[in-house]
Amino acid sequence: MKLRELFVPSAIKLDLAAETKDEALRELVSCMGLDEKSEGILYKMLKRRENLGSTGIGRGIAIPHCRSLVVTRLRVAFGRKLSGLDFKAIDEKPVRYVFLIVAPPLEVSNQYLPVLGKIAQFGKEADVPESLAEISSPEQFIELLDAKDL
Amino acid sequence: MHQQLELLLQIQDLRMQRRGLTDGTLTDLETDVFDIKVEDAIRSLDEKVEELAGELTRRIRERYCRIADKAPRVVAPVINGICYGCFVAVSTARASEADRNLRVESCEYCGCFLYHVA
């Protein structure tokens, strides 16, 4: 499956209201269409994963991720905060692009790891941060993935 | 959602995270891309699981320990009336109740605690 097929426009936030890492996680979790309790559990899991080590991989990109029982299928979201968020990233620079990935413990298609790997690879491409800064609509975000054949 | 079930869900999610680090499925990505120190992460996850398990009531903790010692999964999702711990249908009455996550119940076949997914 292509990455672009996993992203829905409602889960692509090009102007996050969040001012902190925690707020960004909450904002992206709220795109998942879960009930309040499930959102809370998912947020806690993502926070606990962050506590093990930041998912900020450098160059302004973070990929918070976890498996949780509260989702029934692989879900992804993208958030952009051009002014930057303190994510305690590997390169200690602010994070401007956040890719959220959550998956259930059991997946028939077992996509979680490949998707995590593809997004990590995408984030390492030299032109990606600049391209992500320039897009102005969720559709352009999808087009960017399409252009990368992802 | 029952508060004890919420704790069990958190414990299960942490156990899954730990499993991903120990069975090798997630280890390479976590170390190479995210620079995670696996041993430290496992220790931290174990401590958190222990802490959350300590918040379970005695009766539920005893059941939890019995299951946790034998199987990787202590909580199984119920999707469309099927327990995903053993893939056996749970009773129709249980599966259709609106308040089904408001109490802690177990699968009568595999013993897993049940979490009804909407």
Side-chain angles (χ1 to χ4, degrees):
Chain A
M1 178 178 268
K2 298 286 188 182
L3 278 185
R4 60 178 178 268
E5 295 170 41
L6 296 170
F7 283 94
V8 295
S10 60
I12 301 170
K13 303 284 182 192
L14 297 181
D15 192 13
L16 285 173
E19 296 292 342
T20 65
K21 174 181 184 172
D22 291 357
E23 287 173 5
L25 292 177
R26 278 197 185 281
E27 198 171 342
L28 289 173
V29 164
S30 73
C31 298
M32 301 280 145
L34 302 170
D35 61 68
E36 196 177 330
K37 277 281 184 193
S38 300
E39 279 188 7
I41 290 170
L42 188 52
Y43 169 72
K44 280 181 189 170
M45 267 310 290
L46 290 164
K47 280 276 291 174
R48 285 180 187 137
R49 169 59 191 81
E50 292 295 324
N51 290 340
L52 299 180
S54 175
T55 58
I57 60 171
R59 303 172 66 243
I61 292 171
I63 315 174
H65 57 276
C66 71
R67 285 192 188 271
S68 177
L69 277 165
V70 302
V71 294
T72 52
R73 60 184 172 83
L74 181 76
R75 307 288 292 273
V76 293
F78 171 73
R80 183 177 73 180
K81 181 76 177 179
L82 289 175
S83 56
L85 298 160
D86 181 5
F87 239 82
K88 307 274 183 272
I90 287 172
D91 61 0
E92 298 180 357
K93 291 184 177 162
V95 159
R96 300 164 80 195
Y97 315 107
V98 184
F99 293 84
L100 179 72
I101 309 171
V102 294
L106 282 177
E107 289 173 277
V108 177
S109 52
N110 214 9
Q111 291 175 309
Y112 177 59
L113 288 177
V115 165
L116 186 53
K118 277 184 189 178
I119 292 179
Q121 194 62 42
F122 175 66
K124 285 180 177 173
E125 291 190 29
D127 60 331
V128 162
E130 193 180 338
S131 301
L132 288 172
E134 287 171 357
I135 56 176
S136 57
S137 68
E139 290 72 25
Q140 286 184 0
F141 174 78
I142 304 288
E143 284 167 17
L144 175 62
L145 296 178
D146 206 17
K148 297 283 183 186
D149 197 27
L150 289 171
Chain B
M1 188 188 301
H2 195 288
Q3 183 264 350
Q4 291 284 297
L5 180 57
E6 191 178 333
L7 282 172
L8 287 164
L9 283 181
Q10 291 180 47
I11 290 169
Q12 178 61 47
D13 285 350
L14 290 168
R15 285 167 58 93
M16 275 304 297
Q17 193 168 10
R18 185 193 196 283
R19 196 176 167 201
L21 289 172
T22 53
D23 68 7
T25 52
L26 203 52
T27 315
D28 290 348
L29 264 174
E30 291 289 15
T31 52
D32 298 347
V33 178
F34 299 102
D35 202 24
I36 283 284
K37 308 286 181 284
V38 172
E39 285 182 10
D40 292 348
I42 288 172
R43 192 178 317 115
S44 172
L45 289 168
D46 285 345
E47 286 171 3
K48 194 66 199 176
V49 167
E50 195 68 25
E51 180 190 324
L52 291 172
E55 295 177 36
L56 296 170
T57 62
R58 198 180 76 179
R59 187 178 63 86
I60 291 175
R61 189 167 61 247
E62 284 172 358
R63 278 168 59 192
Y64 159 77
C65 289
R66 278 200 301 275
I67 304 168
D69 286 347
K70 290 185 291 187
R73 185 192 302 275
V74 290
V75 183
V78 178
I79 303 171
N80 296 327
I82 304 292
C83 166
Y84 272 60
C86 59
F87 297 98
V88 172
V90 301
S91 75
T92 312
R94 274 179 166 187
S96 61
E97 288 169 18
D99 62 349
R100 51 207 177 175
N101 285 326
L102 291 179
R103 60 174 180 268
V104 180
E105 55 183 21
S106 304
C107 175
E108 57 192 285
Y109 299 102
C110 67
C112 285
F113 293 101
L114 296 176
Y115 170 62
H116 295 267
V117 179

